[in-house]
Amino acid sequence: MATQIQKDLVKSNEQYASNFTEGHLALPPAKKYLVVTCMDARIDPKSAFGISLGDAHIIRNAGGNATDALRSILISQHLLGTREIVLVKHTGCGMLTFTNEAAHEVVGKQGGKIEKDLDFQPFPELEEAVRGDVAWLKGNEGLIGREISGWVYEVETGKVRQVV
Amino acid sequence: MATQIQKDLVKSNEQYASNFTEGHLALPPAKKYLVVTCMDARIDPKSAFGISLGDAHIIRNAGGNATDALRSILISQHLLGTREIVLVKHTGCGMLTFTNEAAHEVVGKQGGKIEKDLDFQPFPELEEAVRGDVAWLKGNEGLIGREISGWVYEVETGKVRQVV
């Protein structure tokens, strides 16, 4: 039995596909860059950062986390021809609101069994986290010589600003 | 010195922010679901799957890989109130085009130093990979009782179809 979310997906997609004209796009991103950002529901990277279909890889996870994204970044940069990395974290991020200890407690209370040492990778300060992730990527021996910048997106205003 | 990509990002974002009216949206996704899909440049999940700003978490990585996404999925489902998971892989995926051995060889030739046992998580067959990831998520003790479906998106036609 399909859920409402599944039914809505099918219905929306029928309309999208009926107007679809971009089936010719190539696999490697045309503008040879990738964006790492948060999974947050309030971020639309395509519109907010001016990305046209086919331009760039978009990697998203909780917090716009660089270490989580590394496998994808290496594939993008070494196997699919991208040369530049744009990392964007954002104001009001969920990752600013809890500690690892608190997260494990909540999951446990809800009956979720997870590894005791799972690192949810929360961060207490936004711009510091951007700087830290960019520094980590710049120091990664798999990514030497790549252009890497770090940004903050404001979910309250729609504005993005460069941090590093 | 800003790159062309950085300049274009700033310029596009100025226009986006000048018309931005969604600063009131709440942190937890309004429709209480998350989508896991590929970083592929040819996928626009918001338009193709009918996701409005604020509706759903969108997790993206190379291949729409469930294991890579687990930290983010657990945060979304346990700390930010989502209840349903929609996993979408796609035709023409880069992950169908190489083996781990080949990927390590390419990275090495380009001077990238990475861990010898890094698993790039390629997959040889698309629908089988969708089924495998959904089964893995359904069997995860951190996600018991969640609604989980698996889909294929066709980059050639813009169409999505449910696999499981």
Side-chain angles (χ1 to χ4, degrees), chain B residues 18-41:
Chain B
S18 72
N19 297 312
F20 187 74
T21 57
E22 314 243 36
H24 60 284
L25 294 172
L27 168 55
K31 295 202 174 161
K32 299 185 191 303
Y33 74 109
L34 72 83
V35 173
V36 179
T37 194
C38 187
M39 67 179 179
D40 194 286

Side-chain angles (χ1 to χ4, degrees), chain A residues 3 13 41 54 62 71-72 84 158 160, chain B residues 3 13 41 54 62 71 84 120 158 160:
Chain A
T3 66
N13 178 258
R71 178 188 65 92
S72 300
E84 181 165 343
V160 76
Chain B
T3 65
N13 178 257
R71 178 187 66 92
E84 182 166 343
F120 286 102
V160 76

Side-chain angles (χ1 to χ4, degrees), chain B residues 41-99:
Chain B
R42 297 164 294 177
I43 303 174
D44 174 9
K46 192 166 178 290
S47 300
F49 311 149
I51 306 168
S52 293
L53 204 68
D55 273 2
H57 284 139
I58 302 177
I59 301 166
R60 301 181 66 173
N61 61 41
N65 182 283
T67 52
D68 239 39
L70 184 63
R71 178 187 66 92
S72 300
I73 293 173
L74 289 168
I75 290 170
S76 175
Q77 298 268 313
H78 286 288
L79 298 169
L80 296 169
T82 63
R83 309 292 303 172
E84 182 166 343
I85 299 169
V86 171
L87 182 134
V88 190
K89 296 185 190 275
H90 66 100
T91 57
C93 186
M95 308 305 286
L96 291 158
T97 66
F98 61 83
T99 61

Side-chain angles (χ1 to χ4, degrees), chain A residues 104 107 112-120, chain B residues 70 74 140 142:
Chain A
H104 275 274
V107 175
K113 285 180 192 164
I114 58 171
E115 286 177 34
K116 292 228 181 321
D117 61 349
L118 177 73
D119 184 355
F120 286 103
Chain B
L70 184 63
L74 289 168
N140 190 293

